[in-house]
Amino acid sequence: MSRLFLDRARGWTALFVTLTIVGMSPTTALAGAAAPRPVVDSRPRAVGFKHDAVVTGHVGGSRTADEVVVQKKDPSGTWNTLVTGHPDSGGLVRFRLANLHRTGAYRLVWRDSGSDATSRSDLFTINVRPRLVLRATPDDVLIGRDVRVSGRLYPAAPGRKVFLQRRAHGHWRFLRILKAGDGSFGATLAGRAVGHHGLRVTFSGDRLNTKKRSRDGYNVYDPDQATWYGPGFYGQRTACGRTLSQETLGVANRTLPCGTDVSILYRGRTITVPVIDRGPYSSAEWDLTSATARKLGFEGSNTIGVRH
């Protein structure tokens, strides 16, 4: 047996003993040395619909000629390459994933420039919030009139639905489930109670997108008869201590306390003004100052919507 053979045998024996002590197999040690592994340093946990996501990482021991790619797993389990880049002189990589629509699993893959060697990072997930829009029209209605609730949920996906709620007495009350599989939903509500009515829709989330909520609301007014006044009274003190002028915004009422805010609806226009006077002295319930009437385009004696 030659001396060279004995020296090599002793060297391999020492290597195996060392690796056994530290709990590492020779195969693992050699593979680890041969294939730098990409590590994800930062990425957003969630982004909005059609927003971009920036992913940064590093590959220790890599070269600038090496290739690093971002891959995304599709529903069939196939990994597709989205973006390709190269580490800088410090091994750092940075990628921008544009226009994200759906939640997905991602990974970084390093490829050696001089061989077929590759290695992969841990998997990471970027959640995508859907776009959810709610709209109640019209914003202001007289009691008994209908309000149309409509909205959009993107991206569209079969079987999707949203939950419609209305706020009452400080709590959200469930109204109905609305189908949104084609990306749109809608319902008709009756304006049955005077006041402001908050609405919201909730998408519970699924494998494509996270949970999302959207809010809107509408106002219901009580119809009452009104007149207006001003000329002949300018410069005089009102029952609430105001000096009436052509620019005074307010309303007269027989019983409401002075200073009470009153919201008025007339032919699609709205205004909120305080009670500043007593009256009217007719069959009408309200007397608008001339400035309030001008803001609303109100003339003569007519029906207005009121809430207070």
Side-chain angles (χ1 to χ4, degrees):
M1 186 178 298
S2 69
R3 182 177 182 82
L4 178 60
F5 178 85
L6 289 174
D7 289 342
R8 287 181 176 177
R10 290 191 189 102
W12 281 109
T13 301
L15 174 62
F16 275 84
V17 170
T18 301
L19 294 174
T20 302
I21 292 174
V22 299
M24 184 185 300
S25 71
T27 303
T28 302
L30 292 174
R37 188 166 182 262
V39 176
V40 178
D41 295 325
S42 68
R43 46 87 181 180
R45 295 190 177 277
V47 297
F49 178 68
K50 287 190 174 182
H51 287 199
D52 296 350
V54 175
V55 178
T56 65
H58 67 275
V59 188
S62 63
R63 295 168 294 183
T64 56
D66 293 346
E67 186 177 81
V68 180
V69 302
V70 181
Q71 293 184 334
K72 181 180 181 181
K73 192 175 185 180
D74 68 20
S76 69
T78 302
W79 287 96
N80 299 308
T81 296
L82 302 181
V83 187
T84 300
H86 301 274
D88 65 14
S89 57
L92 302 179
V93 289
R94 185 178 187 275
F95 301 95
R96 179 177 293 277
L97 310 181
N99 199 27
L100 299 187
H101 287 62
R102 301 180 175 186
T103 295
Y106 299 83
R107 69 185 183 186
L108 302 183
V109 178
W110 167 85
R111 293 172 181 160
D112 181 45
S113 59
S115 68
D116 294 330
T118 63
S119 63
R120 301 172 181 84
S121 70
D122 293 335
L123 304 186
F124 60 97
T125 300
I126 299 177
N127 295 299
V128 177
R129 295 182 290 269
R131 183 185 179 202
L132 181 59
V133 180
L134 174 66
R135 184 78 172 94
T137 53
D139 297 324
D140 304 281
V141 296
L142 292 177
I143 193 168
R145 301 288 178 86
D146 289 341
V147 176
R148 180 63 182 169
V149 178
S150 59
R152 301 282 183 182
L153 174 63
Y154 293 119
R160 283 190 157 182
K161 57 190 177 183
V162 296
F163 299 90
L164 178 64
Q165 296 174 301
R166 180 164 51 201
R167 192 165 180 82
H169 308 296
H171 300 281
W172 288 103
R173 308 292 185 183
F174 170 77
L175 291 180
R176 63 190 68 173
I177 296 174
L178 304 178
K179 295 180 180 180
D182 64 353
S184 64
F185 56 86
T188 300
L189 304 177
R192 295 177 178 173
V194 174
H196 175 74
H197 299 271
L199 293 174
R200 78 178 182 188
V201 287
T202 300
F203 172 64
S204 299
D206 55 23
R207 63 182 182 83
L208 300 181
N209 299 104
T210 63
K211 181 177 180 179
K212 187 72 180 291
R213 284 175 176 164
S214 182
R215 297 188 183 188
D216 199 19
Y218 61 95
N219 302 303
V220 178
Y221 295 75
D222 197 21
D224 274 333
Q225 197 69 16
T227 56
W228 70 279
Y229 75 111
F233 295 93
Y234 298 140
Q236 297 184 21
R237 301 279 287 181
T238 70
C240 296
R242 299 279 297 272
T243 299
L244 188 66
S245 73
Q246 295 186 43
E247 306 304 321
T248 303
L249 293 173
V251 65
N253 183 262
R254 298 185 187 93
T255 58
L256 284 179
C258 293
T260 301
D261 283 336
V262 179
S263 294
I264 301 170
L265 168 66
Y266 182 70
R267 295 183 178 177
R269 296 182 180 181
T270 61
I271 191 172
T272 299
V273 295
V275 173
I276 64 164
D277 207 352
R278 292 290 170 238
Y281 301 102
S282 65
S283 60
E285 294 291 328
W286 306 88
D287 219 356
L288 314 182
T289 66
S290 57
T292 303
R294 286 197 306 272
K295 291 282 188 181
L296 292 170
F298 180 91
E299 295 180 349
S301 177
N302 217 322
T303 299
I304 61 172
V306 179
R307 65 183 185 92
H308 53 82

